[in-house]
Amino acid sequence: MERDNIKVQELIKKQLLEIITQEEEAELLVRKAYYTEEEYDALLIEGLRKLEGQLPKDSLDNWNPDFDAIKIHGEDIRKKRKIKQYVQFGYAAALLLFIGGILLYLFYPHKKEDIILHLEGQCLGIADNTEIPLIESSCFLLATDSTWIRVEQDTFGKIVQLGELAVTRTEEGLLRIQRNQINSSNAPSLKNLEIYTGPRQQCVVELEDGTKIRLNAQSRLSYPLVKRDSTVVYIKGEAYVDAKTRNRSAPLSIGTERGKIMTSHADFLIRSDTSNMKAMLNDGTLEIYSRNLNKTRSIVCPGDFVYIGAKYVGKNQLPRDTMTYVANLDFEEAKMWTRKIRIYRNMPLWAFVDEMSRWEGFTIKRWDCIPKNKLISVSICYQSGREEVYSAIRQAGVLLHEEKGMISFCPEDKRDRVAMRQLDRNDRKLK
């Protein structure tokens, strides 16, 4: 999307006249990112100048103060002031004690109490920034075309040898990929080592070059069995990549269905599926390539974010890839899924449901039924179950319906005990 002053001024005009649609609001927000603050303010001022006399009237435009009533009220205050003066002297000592108590509270060192609801007592006492430990890593490995290996928390040592590629799990819980020179005539039937995580699973993998990748739940990592000059992997799902201490000069390349990410030394978040790819940088430099657009974007600042996804355009509403850049986002908030206690403050409900559905493994029936402008603030323990997630959503004022692991926010669905328990109880009281 290029700079288009005429289009931006048209959207600003609709915004000022309060006739802009939600889609146009979103488009204006995207286009605004292509302007500096001074440039956008200039366009806004020009829009206000052109709309002089056309803006919607304010509710206070025709208001005039009642000066007579104000004057009478002022006289009453002066009459009562002398009476109150003596009473105020009596309260002076108490007031001084009260102020002293406030000052003592403000300056005495104490921990600020968290007003966000903690749903599970089993995580009490754990620091907010504590990550899920390595020892709890677990996953599945695809050893041949049909043989799966389950890697549990109590699995240690060598797990599988695929050609020259050996997979081991350390005593700390790190899944390590190494290459050993062996003489074997039995070539593996697979081209890649496949690592999968299921619901409520995370797995930390160390590649040959020292890169560490933490896979979130319901994610996949593909690693080639044949050695290459550079490290090339494929990720589908969500992962945190720490490539700051790599021992190779050749770049790391992470492929996705929409493109690829290349870096020499960086740590970043990546999320990809069939429809989009997202990347957020914490440190280092990333080159992000869109396959359909044949376009590369470099990001170098902490909090830089790039989104590549399909947008439906034209009369036939054909999907077309777009690349969007946003600066200065909160990296630690985006990395919340790696923690034992996940604290969300004013998070869009659809984003919370998306993150929890990946971790807990439930399916959303219709995403368009989730309230678009609803926010949620809650603290969730990673060991909590679905009931705690459902409870958090209900406490945010949103009803949901569950049936056989599928969640619906659509009002036409049948009410059940998960979503409607409180409402049914109220109905019975009314009867």
Side-chain angles (χ1 to χ4, degrees):
M1 184 179 293
E2 300 178 353
R3 292 166 55 122
D4 188 340
N5 292 354
I6 297 177
K7 181 62 177 180
V8 171
Q9 287 184 333
E10 179 184 346
L11 293 173
I12 290 176
K13 177 181 178 182
K14 290 185 176 182
Q15 188 182 56
L16 293 172
L17 293 175
E18 300 179 358
I19 59 173
I20 192 168
T21 64
Q22 291 184 351
E23 291 77 9
E24 290 171 333
E25 282 276 12
E27 182 181 357
L28 179 58
L29 182 62
V30 173
R31 290 182 177 274
K32 183 179 177 180
Y34 289 88
Y35 294 84
T36 64
E37 185 175 350
E38 292 77 11
E39 292 172 338
Y40 185 80
D41 287 344
L43 294 175
L44 181 61
I45 293 171
E46 178 66 18
L48 288 169
R49 187 185 63 79
K50 292 181 179 180
L51 291 175
E52 184 176 0
Q54 303 180 42
L55 295 176
K57 290 186 177 181
D58 190 271
S59 58
L60 298 179
D61 284 348
N62 298 322
W63 177 77
N64 290 313
D66 190 342
F67 292 104
D68 292 335
I70 294 173
K71 184 177 180 180
I72 293 173
H73 184 63
E75 292 293 338
D76 291 338
I77 293 175
R78 280 191 291 271
K79 291 178 181 179
K80 296 177 181 178
R81 183 173 299 168
K82 290 185 177 181
I83 299 174
K84 291 184 177 180
Q85 185 175 11
Y86 296 103
V87 177
Q88 290 172 351
F89 282 125
Y91 286 110
L95 181 59
L96 289 174
L97 291 174
F98 176 72
I99 294 175
I102 292 178
L103 293 175
L104 180 63
Y105 173 78
L106 292 176
F107 291 99
Y108 184 79
H110 62 279
K111 182 179 179 180
K112 185 178 180 181
E113 192 169 334
D114 192 357
I115 62 173
I116 299 177
L117 176 65
H118 285 267
L119 296 174
E120 278 295 312
Q122 56 193 329
C123 281
L124 293 178
I126 298 176
D128 292 346
N129 59 353
T130 302
E131 291 189 341
I132 298 175
L134 282 175
I135 196 62
E136 296 188 25
S137 291
S138 58
C139 62
F140 296 89
L141 303 181
L142 184 60
T144 64
D145 290 337
S146 59
T147 302
W148 290 89
I149 299 176
R150 189 183 186 96
V151 180
E152 300 285 5
Q153 296 181 18
D154 58 355
T155 302
F156 301 104
K158 187 173 182 179
I159 299 173
V160 68
Q161 179 87 36
L162 297 175
E164 297 180 350
L165 215 60
V167 182
T168 59
R169 188 168 185 267
T170 67
E171 294 182 357
E172 294 77 18
L174 182 66
L175 196 70
R176 180 169 289 159
I177 299 176
Q178 296 173 308
R179 195 170 296 276
N180 301 324
Q181 296 293 337
I182 62 172
N183 296 321
S184 175
S185 59
N186 296 324
S189 58
L190 297 176
K191 294 183 179 180
N192 300 298
L193 166 66
E194 304 288 349
I195 303 174
Y196 292 82
T197 55
R200 300 177 66 84
Q201 283 187 328
Q202 288 189 12
C203 183
V204 182
V205 184
E206 184 181 71
L207 308 184
E208 290 182 78
D209 64 357
T211 299
K212 291 184 176 65
I213 299 177
R214 179 185 286 265
L215 292 176
N216 196 9
Q218 301 193 76
S219 300
R220 167 189 163 202
L221 171 67
S222 296
Y223 192 84
L225 299 186
V226 178
K227 185 176 181 180
R228 303 183 183 181
D229 294 334
S230 59
T231 304
V232 180
V233 298
Y234 174 90
I235 289 178
K236 184 175 183 181
E238 190 167 25
Y240 167 61
V241 182
D242 185 355
K244 293 186 295 184
T245 57
R246 296 178 67 242
N247 52 36
R248 288 187 184 177
S249 58
L252 167 68
S253 177
I254 299 178
T256 71
E257 295 196 31
R258 312 302 295 189
K260 62 181 177 180
I261 298 175
M262 294 159 289
T263 185
S264 294
H265 297 89
D267 73 300
F268 56 96
L269 293 168
I270 177 173
R271 182 166 183 174
S272 71
D273 55 33
T274 55
S275 61
N276 61 69
M277 178 177 76
K278 305 173 185 178
M280 184 184 296
L281 179 67
N282 182 49
D283 187 31
T285 302
L286 294 183
E287 299 287 332
I288 302 174
Y289 171 74
S290 169
R291 184 178 298 107
N292 291 339
L293 294 174
N294 193 23
K295 178 181 178 181
T296 301
R297 177 69 187 251
S298 298
I299 55 177
V300 298
C301 297
D304 280 358
F305 171 84
V306 170
Y307 169 85
I308 298 174
K311 181 179 180 181
Y312 291 88
V313 296
K315 295 182 179 180
N316 297 325
Q317 291 292 293
L318 298 176
R320 179 181 176 184
D321 265 6
T322 60
M323 179 181 287
T324 304
Y325 165 78
V326 181
N328 200 30
L329 294 185
D330 191 331
F331 184 85
E332 291 302 321
E333 182 176 338
K335 194 188 170 192
M336 191 67 66
W337 56 268
T338 66
R339 298 181 181 179
K340 286 185 173 183
I341 298 179
R342 300 164 185 188
I343 301 175
Y344 306 100
R345 293 183 175 89
N346 294 321
M347 185 181 195
L349 179 62
W350 65 265
F352 174 77
V353 172
D354 184 30
E355 189 155 320
M356 289 298 104
S357 65
R358 177 179 294 277
W359 178 250
E360 295 292 346
F362 55 76
T363 304
I364 309 303
K365 183 178 180 180
R366 285 179 54 189
W367 285 91
D368 58 336
C369 287
I370 301 178
K372 299 295 185 299
N373 299 322
K374 195 68 177 178
L375 303 178
I376 186 170
S377 295
V378 71
S379 175
I380 294 286
C381 173
Y382 80 115
Q383 294 179 342
S384 301
R386 295 184 181 183
E387 289 292 338
E388 284 71 26
V389 176
Y390 301 157
S391 175
I393 295 173
R394 290 198 301 273
Q395 290 180 28
V398 178
L399 295 179
L400 60 96
H401 320 282
E402 188 240 11
E403 184 176 357
K404 298 180 180 179
M406 179 170 288
I407 306 303
S408 175
F409 293 84
C410 302
E412 66 270 15
D413 285 335
K414 183 180 179 181
R415 300 186 306 176
D416 62 25
R417 64 180 181 84
V418 172
M420 310 297 290
R421 188 181 300 128
Q422 184 62 42
L423 185 57
D424 287 341
R425 187 179 298 119
N426 294 338
D427 289 343
R428 287 194 295 270
K429 289 180 180 179
L430 293 175
K431 292 179 181 179

